[in-house]
Amino acid sequence: MAETIQKESAAILEIRGLQKAFGENTVLRDISLDVEPGNVVSIIGPSGSGKSTLLRCATFLETADGGDILYDGQYAVRGGVYAPKADLARFRTRYGLVFQSFNLFPHYSVMRNVSEAPILHGQNKDEAQEYARSLLKKMGLEGKENAYPFQLSGGQQQRVAIARALAMKPEILFFDEPTSALDPELTGEVLKVIRQLAEEKMTMVVVTHEMPFAKAVSNRVIFMDGGVIVEQGDPISVFDHPKEERTKQFLSVFER
């Protein structure tokens, strides 16, 4: 069984001293952060700063070289050593992940894309599909249940991907640059959905280049560069009163 620690924090996710390198290229250097229930944490920074790798390590798509990852006070990774596969499988049910490239199954209908995982995890098919319909309605996709991904716009595909991530009723949602593959009009569709989830107090970690969005919806903003957290704080502090020169340089190219 996964080891539990006693802690004062009620964080859903805790990362301590996370390290990751690809060969000689160190991508993450001693990253630590907490994500509290109901909070939205936005991670910003230039390309290549380690943002996506951080999310991929937090969701076990990449193997961390060192550090700790805890979900609800239980170690998934401790000192770079991973919990047994059965425990990792259980941890994976606690989060949903939305990719920048949608990653829908092209040969599955919208309904099957959303309902497949709950059914595979033992949920009654009718119940899974009923919940999938409610999620699709919430995403503004009512009537698209029988469509296939190629028949949808990019914004619609991303909203299906969000519904799929929500179908397992996760405690926390991770978004890896969810609008980077979309044009501005379709970007607005997706950001509207994420804003709605934030209003409903869905716990989220969002890697994004959308600065006004990050400022508007986040409880905390983390600025990364060169594999380290350069600065973090509430949106007003980071965007309007950054302390670090590197943060100021990065934000200077955006209208604030």
Side-chain angles (χ1 to χ4, degrees):
M1 293 294 291
E3 184 179 350
T4 304
I5 63 168
Q6 297 296 320
K7 63 186 193 327
E8 295 179 2
S9 170
I12 289 178
L13 171 66
E14 297 171 81
I15 294 176
R16 298 282 177 266
L18 195 67
Q19 308 277 348
K20 176 64 181 177
F22 296 102
E24 298 297 314
N25 181 25
T26 300
V27 181
L28 299 176
R29 309 168 188 267
D30 196 28
I31 298 291
S32 297
L33 60 90
D34 290 348
V35 182
E36 305 288 340
N39 281 3
V40 178
V41 177
S42 290
I43 304 176
I44 63 173
S47 298
S49 58
K51 307 182 302 297
S52 293
T53 301
L54 171 57
L55 250 61
R56 292 179 66 82
C57 286
T59 55
F60 318 135
L61 294 174
E62 295 286 358
T63 302
D65 298 327
D68 305 336
I69 301 174
L70 299 93
Y71 281 94
D72 292 327
Q74 293 186 317
Y75 281 102
V77 183
R78 187 172 192 179
V81 178
Y82 280 71
K85 286 185 177 180
D87 289 329
L88 290 180
R90 183 165 48 82
F91 287 126
R92 285 188 177 98
T93 67
R94 294 185 174 181
Y95 61 77
L97 178 60
V98 179
F99 302 88
Q100 55 184 293
S101 55
F102 322 140
N103 283 23
L104 298 177
F105 294 109
H107 56 295
Y108 285 2
S109 68
V110 166
M111 171 57 71
R112 189 173 178 186
N113 263 288
V114 177
S115 63
E116 183 80 353
I119 293 169
L120 289 176
H121 280 82
Q123 189 172 343
N124 174 274
K125 182 177 179 180
D126 290 339
E127 292 177 0
Q129 291 189 342
E130 182 179 354
Y131 187 56
R133 285 190 190 91
S134 71
L135 289 173
L136 290 168
K137 183 177 181 180
K138 183 176 183 175
M139 298 295 129
L141 294 170
E142 192 173 15
K144 296 293 185 181
E145 293 85 353
N146 296 321
Y148 285 81
F150 77 90
Q151 297 173 308
L152 305 177
S153 70
Q156 289 173 326
Q157 290 186 59
Q158 191 62 294
R159 284 181 280 151
V160 172
I162 295 171
R164 180 179 63 181
L166 289 167
M168 290 292 290
K169 301 180 180 178
E171 298 175 19
I172 182 171
L173 272 184
F174 294 95
F175 292 87
D176 186 6
E177 298 186 12
T179 61
S180 64
L182 303 175
D183 65 34
E185 184 176 5
L186 300 181
T187 291
E189 296 178 6
V190 174
L191 294 182
K192 180 180 178 181
V193 168
I194 301 175
R195 284 175 186 267
Q196 179 183 349
L197 293 172
E199 291 171 0
E200 296 170 0
K201 300 300 181 183
M202 181 74 207
T203 308
M204 294 184 282
V205 179
V206 186
V207 169
T208 183
H209 286 111
E210 299 289 338
M211 298 301 129
F213 168 78
K215 184 177 181 180
V217 306
S218 305
N219 299 96
R220 190 160 88 259
V221 177
I222 293 173
F223 171 61
M224 290 183 63
D225 190 30
V228 301
I229 294 176
V230 176
E231 187 164 351
Q232 62 179 307
D234 65 81
I236 299 299
S237 297
V238 173
F239 284 106
D240 293 346
H241 309 288
K243 296 182 177 66
E244 301 297 327
E245 190 59 36
R246 182 64 187 98
T247 315
K248 295 175 184 177
Q249 292 171 354
F250 176 75
L251 293 174
S252 67
V253 302
F254 300 97
E255 293 184 6
R256 303 208 300 279

Short mmCIF file of all heavy atoms in Angstrom, two decimals, residues 44-51 177 209 211 223-226 246 250:
data_model
loop_
_atom_site.label_atom_id
_atom_site.label_comp_id
_atom_site.label_asym_id
_atom_site.label_seq_id
_atom_site.Cartn_x
_atom_site.Cartn_y
_atom_site.Cartn_z
N ILE A 44 3.21 29.48 -15.85
CA ILE A 44 3.58 30.26 -17.02
C ILE A 44 5.10 30.26 -17.17
O ILE A 44 5.83 29.91 -16.24
CB ILE A 44 3.05 31.70 -16.94
CG1 ILE A 44 3.68 32.44 -15.76
CG2 ILE A 44 1.52 31.70 -16.82
CD1 ILE A 44 3.35 33.94 -15.69
N GLY A 45 5.55 30.68 -18.34
CA GLY A 45 6.99 30.75 -18.59
C GLY A 45 7.29 30.52 -20.04
O GLY A 45 6.43 30.08 -20.81
N PRO A 46 8.52 30.81 -20.46
CA PRO A 46 8.88 30.63 -21.87
C PRO A 46 8.91 29.17 -22.27
O PRO A 46 8.97 28.28 -21.42
CB PRO A 46 10.28 31.25 -21.95
CG PRO A 46 10.82 31.13 -20.56
CD PRO A 46 9.65 31.30 -19.65
N SER A 47 8.85 28.92 -23.57
CA SER A 47 8.99 27.56 -24.07
C SER A 47 10.33 26.98 -23.62
O SER A 47 11.34 27.68 -23.60
CB SER A 47 8.90 27.55 -25.60
OG SER A 47 7.65 28.01 -26.03
N GLY A 48 10.29 25.71 -23.24
CA GLY A 48 11.51 25.05 -22.79
C GLY A 48 11.86 25.28 -21.34
O GLY A 48 12.95 24.88 -20.89
N SER A 49 10.94 25.88 -20.59
CA SER A 49 11.24 26.18 -19.19
C SER A 49 10.97 25.01 -18.25
O SER A 49 11.31 25.07 -17.07
CB SER A 49 10.44 27.40 -18.72
OG SER A 49 9.05 27.18 -18.87
N GLY A 50 10.33 23.95 -18.77
CA GLY A 50 10.07 22.77 -17.94
C GLY A 50 8.62 22.61 -17.52
O GLY A 50 8.28 21.68 -16.79
N LYS A 51 7.74 23.50 -17.98
CA LYS A 51 6.35 23.49 -17.54
C LYS A 51 5.65 22.17 -17.87
O LYS A 51 5.04 21.53 -17.01
CB LYS A 51 5.57 24.65 -18.18
CG LYS A 51 6.20 26.02 -17.98
CD LYS A 51 5.34 27.11 -18.60
CE LYS A 51 5.07 26.97 -20.08
NZ LYS A 51 6.30 27.02 -20.92
N GLU A 177 -1.21 23.36 -21.80
CA GLU A 177 -1.40 24.32 -22.90
C GLU A 177 -2.62 23.94 -23.75
O GLU A 177 -2.50 23.66 -24.95
CB GLU A 177 -0.13 24.40 -23.75
CG GLU A 177 1.07 24.89 -22.94
CD GLU A 177 2.31 25.13 -23.79
OE1 GLU A 177 2.18 25.13 -25.03
OE2 GLU A 177 3.38 25.33 -23.22
N HIS A 209 -0.12 29.85 -21.99
CA HIS A 209 0.48 31.09 -22.48
C HIS A 209 -0.55 32.21 -22.52
O HIS A 209 -0.25 33.32 -23.00
CB HIS A 209 1.06 30.89 -23.88
CG HIS A 209 2.33 30.10 -23.90
ND1 HIS A 209 2.42 28.83 -24.42
CD2 HIS A 209 3.56 30.39 -23.43
CE1 HIS A 209 3.65 28.38 -24.29
NE2 HIS A 209 4.37 29.31 -23.70
N MET A 211 -2.02 34.85 -20.80
CA MET A 211 -1.76 35.62 -19.58
C MET A 211 -3.02 36.26 -18.97
O MET A 211 -3.22 36.17 -17.76
CB MET A 211 -0.70 36.69 -19.84
CG MET A 211 0.65 36.13 -20.25
SD MET A 211 1.36 35.02 -19.01
CE MET A 211 1.74 33.61 -20.05
N PHE A 223 5.74 31.16 -12.09
CA PHE A 223 6.55 31.49 -13.26
C PHE A 223 7.81 30.63 -13.24
O PHE A 223 8.61 30.69 -12.29
CB PHE A 223 6.93 32.97 -13.27
CG PHE A 223 7.94 33.32 -14.34
CD1 PHE A 223 7.65 33.12 -15.67
CD2 PHE A 223 9.19 33.83 -13.99
CE1 PHE A 223 8.58 33.43 -16.66
CE2 PHE A 223 10.13 34.14 -14.96
CZ PHE A 223 9.83 33.94 -16.30
N MET A 224 7.99 29.82 -14.29
CA MET A 224 9.15 28.95 -14.42
C MET A 224 10.07 29.43 -15.53
O MET A 224 9.61 29.95 -16.55
CB MET A 224 8.72 27.51 -14.71
CG MET A 224 8.06 26.80 -13.56
SD MET A 224 7.66 25.06 -13.96
CE MET A 224 9.32 24.38 -14.23
N ASP A 225 11.35 29.23 -15.34
CA ASP A 225 12.33 29.46 -16.39
C ASP A 225 13.56 28.64 -16.06
O ASP A 225 13.96 28.55 -14.89
CB ASP A 225 12.68 30.95 -16.50
CG ASP A 225 13.51 31.26 -17.74
OD1 ASP A 225 13.34 30.55 -18.75
OD2 ASP A 225 14.32 32.20 -17.69
N GLY A 226 14.14 28.01 -17.07
CA GLY A 226 15.36 27.24 -16.86
C GLY A 226 15.21 26.09 -15.89
O GLY A 226 16.17 25.69 -15.23
N ARG A 246 13.73 38.52 -14.04
CA ARG A 246 13.39 37.62 -15.14
C ARG A 246 11.87 37.59 -15.35
O ARG A 246 11.41 37.51 -16.50
CB ARG A 246 13.91 36.20 -14.85
CG ARG A 246 13.64 35.21 -15.98
CD ARG A 246 14.36 35.58 -17.25
NE ARG A 246 13.99 34.74 -18.39
CZ ARG A 246 13.10 35.08 -19.31
NH1 ARG A 246 12.48 36.25 -19.24
NH2 ARG A 246 12.82 34.27 -20.30
N PHE A 250 9.91 38.66 -18.86
CA PHE A 250 8.95 37.76 -19.54
C PHE A 250 7.61 38.44 -19.73
O PHE A 250 7.02 38.39 -20.82
CB PHE A 250 8.80 36.48 -18.72
CG PHE A 250 7.76 35.54 -19.29
CD1 PHE A 250 8.02 34.78 -20.41
CD2 PHE A 250 6.51 35.40 -18.68
CE1 PHE A 250 7.07 33.91 -20.95
CE2 PHE A 250 5.55 34.54 -19.19
CZ PHE A 250 5.84 33.81 -20.32
#
